[in-house]
Amino acid sequence: MQGNMSEEQIKCTPLCDKHVALGAKMVPFAGWNMPVQYTGIIDEHNTVRTACGVFDISHMGQFLASGPGTTEWLNGMFTNNLHKLVDGMGQYSMMLNEKGGVIDDLIIYRMAEDSYFIVVNASMIDVDYAWLCDHKPAGITLENKSADFVGLAVQGPTCEEVFAKMCPGVELPVRNGILKFTCGGDELYVCRTGYTGENGFEFFCPAAQGVKWLECVIASGAKPCGLGARDSLRLEMCYSLNGSDLSPEKTPLEAGLSWCCDLTKDFIGVEVLRKQKAEGRPTALVAIEYTGKGAPPRHGYEVQLPDGTPLGELCSGVLSPSLGKGIGMAYVPAALGKIGTEVNVIVRGKAVPAVIVKKPFLKK
């Protein structure tokens, strides 16, 4: 969790009072006051794996970019290839610095030719917007609309039933698709994406109508869930968290995300990635699973070889509710990061036996 901010600096989403009324435990995260849990992390985690949960993602940012030449401009800013998109489809991508390090990972949706809806991470809204503005050609419009939206991530096997009750007669888009439509008098966006590994969608409505739509989602069959469950769900699937698993010092190739980097096109940082592909990456983000008993793994815990040789530190770690064991991810020297390598995680001075495993931890 990201904190270290004064109370005056902590922001609240339009749903904060509703979260408190629903019994949520609130914590600071990425500069926002957010629910970490309601009934309990394990209960909420299992609900998403077996039924349906709803998360407040209103802290995340939304940009609109449009105008002649927008596609070519953004294609030079992001790692994935926008020319693969058709109207109504999105893709996972990254924005890099000149050294190939990750500024942010994001999802970009093509609404129409040279018109895009971009969803960015909460802690990076201002940084991303400034970076894009600094590189924006004349004639292109870039708008930060983050304050205008409430976002809800509805995730789990029964999400389609929930949406059918929320918006009767409206069909969800296909995987990675986006639909802009009107329902209940509000202009809405629904994106067929998520951060849990389950069937789901992300739903954006006008900020002033956020409480109404959260109540509608709950009444339609989704259980309120907090950031604790979201973290354990995403880590079981080895989905990276910006600021922990992704950083300006590590490239997407080191993070194991070469699949969203088209090295045949030019974008900021591409030369570093091309060199790493040719010569080898120095480190690799690996998945580490407990083989022995120990306290839950956490960010910053040291990872060693059995002989005590330091390998790195955990970027993320949690006790997996689905697997019943500790799991985490860490950057280790690429040559030492082979699957099956036995390691120790140092927890409060004690060595907990573990092993490097194939991603993801939870095989769907």
Side-chain angles (χ1 to χ4, degrees):
M1 299 290 176
Q2 300 177 25
N4 303 321
M5 300 182 73
S6 68
E7 290 185 6
E8 291 76 20
Q9 292 174 299
I10 297 293
K11 302 174 185 178
C12 290
T13 79
L15 303 180
C16 274
D17 290 343
K18 186 64 179 178
H19 293 315
V20 173
L22 291 170
K25 178 182 178 181
M26 307 295 286
V27 299
F29 174 79
W32 294 81
N33 191 28
M34 299 295 293
V36 67
Q37 64 179 46
Y38 296 83
T39 57
I41 292 174
I42 294 177
D43 178 56
E44 293 162 25
H45 178 109
N46 290 335
T47 293
V48 174
R49 289 281 182 244
T50 60
C52 189
V54 56
F55 302 87
D56 181 6
I57 56 169
S58 306
H59 58 316
M60 299 185 73
Q62 298 82 36
F63 301 162
L64 297 179
S66 61
T70 297
T71 299
E72 290 304 322
W73 167 55
L74 291 177
N75 213 33
M77 299 298 298
F78 301 153
T79 59
N80 217 332
N81 195 335
L82 286 178
H83 291 298
K84 294 180 179 179
L85 292 181
V86 297
D87 293 355
M89 292 299 296
Q91 63 183 199
Y92 179 72
S93 195
M94 295 189 174
M95 187 162 64
L96 310 183
N97 57 33
E98 288 88 349
K99 295 181 179 180
V102 179
I103 296 174
D104 200 7
D105 64 329
L106 50 91
I107 300 182
I108 179 167
Y109 300 93
R110 174 175 161 140
M111 305 304 298
E113 184 177 359
D114 283 330
S115 177
Y116 294 89
F117 182 76
I118 308 168
V119 180
V120 304
N121 281 300
S123 61
M124 301 305 295
I125 294 172
D126 293 340
V127 172
D128 290 359
Y129 188 67
W131 180 261
L132 288 169
C133 285
D134 286 346
H135 293 82
K136 183 178 70 67
I140 291 175
T141 300
L142 178 67
E143 300 174 276
N144 180 0
K145 308 293 283 186
S146 304
D148 295 350
F149 290 102
V150 153
L152 301 172
V154 183
Q155 302 286 300
T158 63
C159 71
E160 294 179 25
E161 299 169 25
V162 171
F163 185 76
K165 294 177 181 177
M166 290 170 55
C167 302
V170 180
E171 288 191 17
L172 281 169
V174 298
R175 178 68 180 167
N176 293 324
I178 185 170
L179 176 68
K180 184 179 181 181
F181 66 106
T182 299
C183 183
D186 297 322
E187 188 174 89
L188 309 168
Y189 292 82
V190 63
C191 311
R192 199 68 180 275
T193 46
Y195 196 45
T196 65
E198 297 296 335
N199 191 9
F201 59 89
E202 296 180 335
F203 180 89
F204 298 95
C205 65
Q209 303 302 319
V211 171
K212 177 188 80 172
W213 281 105
L214 175 60
E215 292 174 343
C216 179
V217 173
I218 295 171
S220 298
K223 177 186 178 73
C225 298
L227 292 176
R230 197 161 185 253
D231 192 51
S232 57
L233 288 159
R234 69 93 189 168
L235 189 49
E236 286 184 347
M237 301 306 299
C238 289
Y239 294 158
S240 297
L241 175 65
N242 193 59
S244 295
D245 312 305
L246 303 176
S247 79
E249 287 74 45
K250 298 294 184 181
T251 72
L253 271 61
E254 291 175 279
L257 296 170
S258 60
W259 60 268
C260 67
C261 301
D262 186 344
L263 304 190
T264 67
K265 73 183 185 81
D266 291 330
F267 56 86
I268 295 175
V270 69
E271 292 300 334
V272 177
L273 272 58
R274 288 170 178 163
K275 184 176 180 181
Q276 281 192 356
K277 183 178 181 181
E279 301 178 1
R281 53 187 178 166
T283 63
L285 184 64
V286 299
I288 297 173
E289 185 175 286
Y290 277 9
T291 55
K293 293 184 178 181
R298 301 296 183 203
H299 171 87
Y301 285 5
E302 187 177 358
V303 179
Q304 301 177 350
L305 289 175
D307 65 5
T309 301
L311 288 182
E313 294 182 349
L314 292 181
C315 303
S316 294
V318 73
L319 176 64
S320 164
S322 300
L323 303 176
K325 62 180 72 175
I327 59 173
M329 294 198 293
Y331 283 97
V332 304
L336 300 177
K338 294 180 175 60
I339 293 171
T341 300
E342 295 182 352
V343 298
N344 287 330
V345 178
I346 308 304
V347 182
R348 301 170 190 164
K350 297 181 179 180
V352 179
V355 64
I356 296 176
V357 298
K358 184 178 180 179
K359 299 177 184 177
F361 295 105
L362 185 64
K363 308 301 190 289
K364 298 292 293 181

